[in-house]
Amino acid sequence: MYAKNILELIGNTPMLELRSLGDPDQGVRVYGKLEACNPGFSVKDRSALQLLLQAREDHHLQPGWSIVESTSGNMGHALAMLCAIHRYHFICVLDPKTPKSNVNLVRAFGGQVEMVNMPDENGSYQKKRISVAKAIAERLPNCVNLDQYNNPAAIDAHYLSTGPEIFQQLEGSVDVLIGCASTGSHLSGTAKYLKERRGSTRVVGVEPEGSVVFGGQFKPFLQNGTGLSFRPGNILESLVDEVVKVSDHDAFLACRRMALEEGVLLGGSSGSVLHVARTVAAAATGPCNIVVVLPDSGIKYLDTVYDDQWLRANRLAGVLDALQPAQPTAGRNADPMAA
C-alpha cells in the first residue's frame, strides 16, 4: 500500500495514550491526537487542504494563480507545501514571532514571504498581517486570500476528518475533548462532529493568557500558533462547555515534561492543552476518556521552548526550576518496556 501523492498522507494520524497524565487504575485515560504525524507536521495540513479545495470550487483556480494568507507559521508551511504541488504561487504573510525555521520552510517550497514588522495598538501582529494579506489579494490579479480565521471550509476540514477519526479510534467513547483555539477551526469542527454523536461529550477550549478568542483584554504572549488579539468567525463558542486560559509558563512546562515523561516533543500550543488535561484528569471522579488534540511538533521550537537560554531571557526560568526527572509510579509512569 502506498500513497500516490502527499495529499493522501494528510489525516489518519495516530492516537497515543499519555500514561503520565491519566490514571489507568481508576479508569482515567488521556489520549493525544498526534497531528505532527501529518506530512507538514501539523494540524494545519487538514485545514489548508480543505481551504484550497473550496477555493478551487469557488474561484476555479488554475496553475499560476496566487494564494495569499496570514499565518503564524504552520498554516504557511502547509499551504506552501500544497501550493507547490498544485503549481500555485504562495505568498505568506508572517511576523517576527514566527520561528526562523518556519520562514525557511515556506521558502523551501518556493513560497514568497512578506514580513509585517510593526505591531498594532495592542502589541499584536495579527490584525496587521490579515490587513496586508487582504490588500495583496485585492491588488494582484488571480490572487485569492483564503482567510483561515473566518472561512467555514476550515471548520469543515475537522468535521470531515479529525472528528470522525477520534470517534472511530475510541469507538465513540469520548468523554472530554480538549483543544486550543486560534482560528477556532479544529476545535469547532471536531467538537461539532463529536457532540452530534455523543451530546454528553464535554468540550474544553484553551487559549493563552492574554488571548481574546473567548473574550477578555488582550496582552502579548509567547505561545505560538494559538490565541488571537481578536475573536475569529470560526470559533463556535456554543459548542464549548468550559474555557481555560493558560500562562506561557504552564504551557512550556507541560511541553518540557512531556518530552521527559513520554518521549514526545511538542509545540507550545500542545503544552497548553496538556496542562489542562493534567488538571481535568486529576479532578476526574470516575472512569473517563480524555482526548487532547496536539497541533504540532516541537522540532520547530528547539530554539525557543526547548532552549534554556531563551526561557531565561524571557523571564521563564521558573520552567527550568520546576522540571524534575520523571519518577515512575505504578499506573501513571510505569515503564512501558516492563509490560
Side-chain angles (χ1 to χ4, degrees):
M1 192 72 177
Y2 63 92
K4 294 180 180 178
N5 58 59
I6 204 166
L7 304 182
E8 296 182 0
L9 299 178
I10 295 175
N12 296 310
T13 55
M15 189 92 79
L16 174 68
E17 182 176 0
L18 304 174
R19 299 185 69 188
S20 63
L21 300 183
D23 189 346
D25 294 339
Q26 300 299 318
V28 179
R29 298 182 180 275
V30 179
Y31 300 93
K33 184 70 166 160
L34 300 178
E35 290 302 291
C37 293
N38 282 300
F41 313 126
S42 86
V43 70
K44 291 296 187 180
D45 285 11
R46 299 178 189 262
S47 300
L49 178 58
Q50 193 65 34
L51 286 167
L52 282 176
L53 289 173
Q54 190 63 51
R56 286 175 62 181
E57 182 176 331
D58 294 343
H59 302 281
H60 307 290
L61 300 180
Q62 298 294 326
W65 278 46
S66 295
I67 299 294
V68 60
E69 186 64 9
S70 160
T71 170
S72 61
N74 283 326
M75 178 60 82
H77 180 181
L79 282 174
M81 175 181 70
L82 297 180
C83 285
I85 296 170
H86 293 291
R87 302 298 184 263
Y88 305 142
H89 175 57
F90 179 51
I91 305 169
C92 189
V93 184
L94 300 172
D95 65 57
K97 279 182 64 178
T98 306
K100 185 178 179 181
S101 58
N102 280 2
V103 177
N104 290 339
L105 278 168
V106 170
R107 290 176 171 150
F109 290 111
Q112 174 184 335
V113 172
E114 294 292 330
M115 191 67 69
V116 173
N117 292 306
M118 293 296 293
D120 62 22
E121 67 279 5
N122 294 317
S124 169
Y125 296 93
Q126 291 156 343
K127 291 180 181 178
K128 287 285 186 73
R129 288 199 328 250
I130 292 170
S131 176
V132 168
K134 289 181 177 179
I136 291 173
E138 291 172 358
R139 184 177 74 247
L140 294 180
N142 298 329
C143 182
V144 177
N145 176 210
L146 297 176
D147 188 12
Q148 62 170 320
Y149 307 93
N150 301 292
N151 190 331
I155 296 177
D156 293 343
H158 303 283
Y159 182 82
L160 296 172
S161 66
T162 316
E165 287 173 26
I166 291 172
F167 190 82
Q168 182 180 31
Q169 286 168 316
L170 291 180
E171 300 180 337
S173 184
V174 181
D175 298 292
V176 183
L177 171 71
I178 305 175
C180 62
S182 51
T183 66
S185 303
H186 80 256
L187 177 62
S188 297
T190 307
K192 184 172 185 287
Y193 184 91
L194 294 177
K195 276 185 171 287
E196 283 181 357
R197 283 148 186 83
R198 187 175 184 177
S200 62
T201 299
R202 175 183 165 205
V203 175
V204 183
V206 180
E207 65 177 329
E209 289 183 355
S211 168
V212 298
V213 172
F214 294 105
Q217 185 172 356
F218 179 81
K219 66 176 182 179
F221 48 86
L222 293 172
Q223 294 168 63
N224 197 61
T226 180
L228 291 172
S229 61
F230 62 94
R231 182 185 177 85
N234 276 354
I235 188 69
L236 304 181
E237 194 169 357
S238 62
L239 298 172
V240 179
D241 301 297
E242 181 184 351
V243 173
V244 181
K245 301 203 176 196
V246 177
S247 68
D248 290 332
H249 172 277
D250 288 341
F252 298 158
L253 175 59
C255 288
R256 299 290 293 257
R257 289 178 72 174
M258 187 57 43
L260 293 173
E261 295 173 354
E262 302 276 2
V264 180
L265 205 66
L266 299 164
S269 57
S270 295
S272 68
V273 293
L274 289 168
H275 170 75
V276 175
R278 188 180 294 273
T279 301
V280 171
T285 57
C288 66
N289 287 335
I290 302 165
V291 175
V292 290
V293 180
L294 304 174
D296 69 354
S297 165
I299 293 294
K300 298 176 183 177
Y301 310 104
L302 292 176
D303 58 352
T304 55
V305 178
Y306 297 94
D307 186 313
D308 294 355
Q309 292 184 349
W310 183 87
L311 289 173
R312 293 189 181 97
N314 285 280
R315 301 180 181 181
L316 289 166
V319 171
L320 304 175
D321 296 337
L323 285 174
Q324 297 292 333
Q327 299 296 322
T329 58
R332 288 183 182 266
N333 288 321
D335 183 357
M337 299 297 289

